[in-house]
Amino acid sequence: MVMSGVLDLFLAQPFGARSLAQRVLGMALNDGIRGFEKPIGALKTKINDDVFCEKLKRFVNADESTKNSVRNEAVVDQVDLVVAILKTEQITPELSPEQVGQAFNAYVAWDNAVENVSSPATLKKTFGCLMLDVYKVDDEMKTGAQLFAYLKQLLKLYTRQRDKAMMLSVIEEPVTLHLFRDLFTIFYEPLVRVYKSAN
């Protein structure tokens, strides 16, 4: 009986306003959503290309059919999802040919870095005097690989931020409160019976 009263207190919606449970969960989720802003801003600064960032954000917020189509493009072209997002024409803004080349080169550099993790010391032992050219190429590859890694991280952060926003919208719906009440009743009543029989 006490738990029923507490549950009513948390789930009551006085005058159609949000319930206490909705307020508590909403505040927690809003804090989580705002918590993504700082790392997203830091990554956008490191990427230093608003078109790349905007295209990734629009992909995350696009409808499922568009997302599935872009994912299929990635599979067919055998490229990473980030490359497919950046080169697709289904999501605006359009990239210039230079930006497409930069994105693809960054992907190649990242893929190369992932597959061939070798230190400059190992290369120096192997190639000796050719190291000046290797360092130049190595710096270009490193910069490209870092750019692609930042793009992948940004996509993940945008996705997590969108997921929290979707959870917030689900919590705001009145049906969720009824579902929560029903679930609580289903699990709570057997516990009450067990405690009563134990006494």
Side-chain angles (χ1 to χ4, degrees):
M1 203 51 134
V2 173
M3 282 307 290
S4 178
V6 171
L7 188 61
D8 287 340
L9 177 69
F10 272 97
L11 299 180
Q13 291 181 296
F15 307 112
R18 295 187 321 164
S19 70
L20 183 59
Q22 285 174 317
R23 289 179 190 273
V24 169
L25 293 172
M27 285 175 52
L29 287 171
N30 275 323
D31 285 347
I33 292 169
R34 280 192 299 272
F36 284 115
E37 290 300 326
K38 188 174 180 180
I40 285 173
L43 282 173
K44 286 171 77 172
T45 302
K46 290 175 183 177
I47 293 168
N48 196 25
D49 191 323
D50 292 335
V51 177
F52 285 169
C53 300
E54 185 62 26
K55 197 146 185 167
L56 292 175
K57 186 172 187 173
R58 289 188 183 183
F59 169 78
V60 167
N61 294 322
D63 58 275
E64 283 302 313
S65 62
T66 303
K67 288 182 199 176
N68 289 333
S69 175
V70 172
R71 287 182 186 118
N72 289 339
E73 284 178 26
V75 170
V76 168
D77 295 344
Q78 296 180 343
V79 293
D80 192 87
L81 178 61
V82 172
V83 175
I85 293 167
L86 294 177
K87 75 174 192 144
T88 188
E89 296 176 357
Q90 297 180 44
I91 300 169
T92 57
E94 293 281 326
L95 267 63
S96 68
E98 293 81 21
Q99 287 173 315
V100 172
Q102 181 186 10
F104 194 76
N105 288 340
Y107 167 63
V108 170
W110 177 81
D111 194 41
N112 188 34
V114 169
E115 288 182 12
N116 305 316
V117 181
S118 60
S119 68
T122 308
L123 292 174
K124 189 169 186 179
K125 287 178 188 174
T126 308
F127 296 110
C129 63
L130 299 174
M131 278 309 292
L132 291 176
D133 292 337
V134 172
Y135 275 126
K136 182 178 177 186
V137 171
D138 193 45
D139 285 344
E140 290 174 10
M141 294 291 274
K142 182 179 176 186
T143 303
Q146 281 180 331
L147 172 63
F148 197 77
Y150 293 150
L151 290 169
K152 286 182 78 65
Q153 286 177 327
L154 184 63
L155 180 62
K156 286 179 184 176
L157 288 177
Y158 277 146
T159 302
R160 289 179 184 156
Q161 188 179 42
R162 188 235 25 232
D163 290 348
K164 288 209 180 228
M166 288 174 74
M167 285 175 57
L168 183 61
S169 68
V170 167
I171 287 172
E172 296 294 325
E173 293 180 16
V175 175
T176 306
L177 289 178
H178 296 296
L179 180 64
F180 182 70
R181 180 185 298 273
D182 293 344
L183 286 173
F184 187 79
T185 304
I186 290 168
F187 291 109
Y188 181 69
E189 284 183 9
L191 284 175
V192 170
R193 283 191 220 127
V194 167
Y195 284 128
K196 283 184 180 179
S197 64
N199 287 337

